Amino acid sequence: MIYAVWIPLLVPFAVVPAARRLADALPPVQAARLLAATGAGLALCTLSALALLVVPGAGRLSVVAAAGDFVHPLAVPAPGTAVPLAAAALVLITGCAAALTRAVRGHWGRLHRSAGPDRGDGGEIAVLRDDRPDAYALPGRPGSPGRIVVTTGMLHALDPAEREALLAHERAHLAGRHHLYLAAAELSARCHPALRALRAPLAYALERWADEAAAQAVGDRRVAARAIGRAALAVRAAGEPPASRPAHALAAAAGPVPRRVAALLGKAAARPRVGRAAAAALLACLVVSGTAALDATYDLHSSIEIAQGESP
């Protein structure tokens, strides 16, 4: 068990190169879902491995042995290091639990503060009187569709067709509940430091997802690409975005805009083999991590049964 339990703690470091290639090589919807699922799965395996490290050391303590009805000492491969490892794992689990609690409370609080500017007529779009160009999707509370916020400066920076594409982009963020994908990536990153590397490719995949939805909505990929490019240039020319934009808002002008525009215009080279290889690597990491965690759990369960005097 002591060997298998380390695998879920090491596997997340192996997913970083594949994750960076996945966002460009796979269709954005598939890439976003796979990246989010990989992060969540590896985070769960990490927490499981830490918990499995706690039990053998705790089982060496007399109070735990008595509570577990152990008639024999709990056998572990390295008895001298079991208690220190258990203590270290317990500290890490406690830290992860505290970080996850803060992240969940912060995300929930931001959603409940998302009332933002008054919607006036109650429609899905709120227009702010601000000369600084900006546009973003503001996710709502559970059961609420959220809203699109756009400034008058952004409306003046785009022509009507581009405005339609920009609004379709933000509408896709809300319809796809993309903030939940980002929240899942943030929670996963709190469980293992290597999983922080999944946040950037996931954010890019979500923007590409919305880009493709906008292109389909307006029926012209060039219009969608032009809208995204001009919106990004307008925001950059204005300097810092308006202070009214919440930190959790999903903005069309965010991320690597030149890569997104190139993908919409078909100038980015298609790499299906790379995408399939990267996806296979991520799935393999999930399988290996999960299998190792299950194997370590089975070995620990067998050790506990032996310590309780049951037949091996």
Side-chain angles (χ1 to χ4, degrees):
M1 190 273 289
I2 195 65
Y3 303 109
V5 78
W6 292 106
I7 294 177
L9 302 177
L10 297 175
V11 164
F13 293 102
V15 307
V16 175
R20 289 173 177 167
R21 290 172 172 79
L22 191 74
D24 274 322
L26 273 188
V29 176
Q30 297 178 18
R33 290 174 176 169
L34 184 54
L35 286 168
T38 298
L42 293 179
L44 288 174
C45 290
T46 295
L47 294 177
S48 299
L50 291 175
L52 290 170
L53 283 173
V54 171
V55 176
R60 309 290 294 182
L61 303 177
S62 58
V63 62
V64 177
D69 295 326
F70 293 172
V71 297
H72 305 294
L74 185 62
V76 292
T81 60
V83 173
L85 274 177
L90 184 59
V91 169
L92 290 174
I93 289 176
T94 303
C96 288
L100 288 172
T101 301
R102 287 195 301 270
V104 169
R105 292 180 63 181
H107 180 71
W108 188 260
R110 286 191 295 270
L111 290 182
H112 278 266
R113 291 192 299 270
S114 289
D118 188 11
R119 293 174 74 169
D121 60 358
E124 69 166 347
I125 301 174
V127 178
L128 299 183
R129 294 187 177 277
D130 194 327
D131 292 336
R132 291 169 297 182
D134 200 19
Y136 52 86
L138 198 60
R141 296 182 289 270
S144 170
R147 76 176 113 180
I148 299 167
V149 179
V150 60
T151 65
T152 52
M154 180 63 80
L155 294 177
H156 293 154
L158 306 177
D159 64 34
E162 292 166 352
R163 283 182 224 141
E164 182 182 353
L166 184 72
L167 295 177
H169 174 104
E170 303 299 354
R171 197 173 287 117
H173 278 316
L174 297 177
R177 309 298 285 176
H178 290 175
H179 67 285
L180 297 180
Y181 289 83
L182 295 175
E186 185 63 30
L187 293 176
S188 300
R190 303 299 176 97
C191 298
H192 197 293
L195 297 178
R196 297 172 186 169
L198 299 184
R199 292 183 296 189
L202 175 59
Y204 173 72
L206 292 174
E207 291 300 331
R208 286 281 301 115
W209 181 344
D211 291 344
E212 292 296 329
Q216 185 175 6
V218 299
D220 192 330
R221 300 180 68 84
R222 297 186 66 85
V223 169
R226 193 170 68 243
I228 293 163
R230 290 187 65 182
L233 289 173
V235 171
R236 178 172 296 184
E240 292 293 325
S244 58
R245 183 203 290 183
H248 64 295
L250 297 160
V257 173
R259 283 170 60 196
R260 292 166 51 199
V261 170
L264 278 171
L265 296 178
K267 296 181 180 180
R271 297 180 295 172
R273 291 184 179 179
V274 174
R276 288 193 294 268
L282 291 185
L283 292 174
C285 287
L286 271 176
V287 170
V288 169
S289 186
T291 301
L294 289 174
D295 182 58
T297 302
Y298 176 79
D299 287 348
L300 179 59
H301 182 263
S302 299
S303 298
I304 291 174
E305 287 186 334
I306 294 172
Q308 290 173 336
E310 301 180 16
S311 58

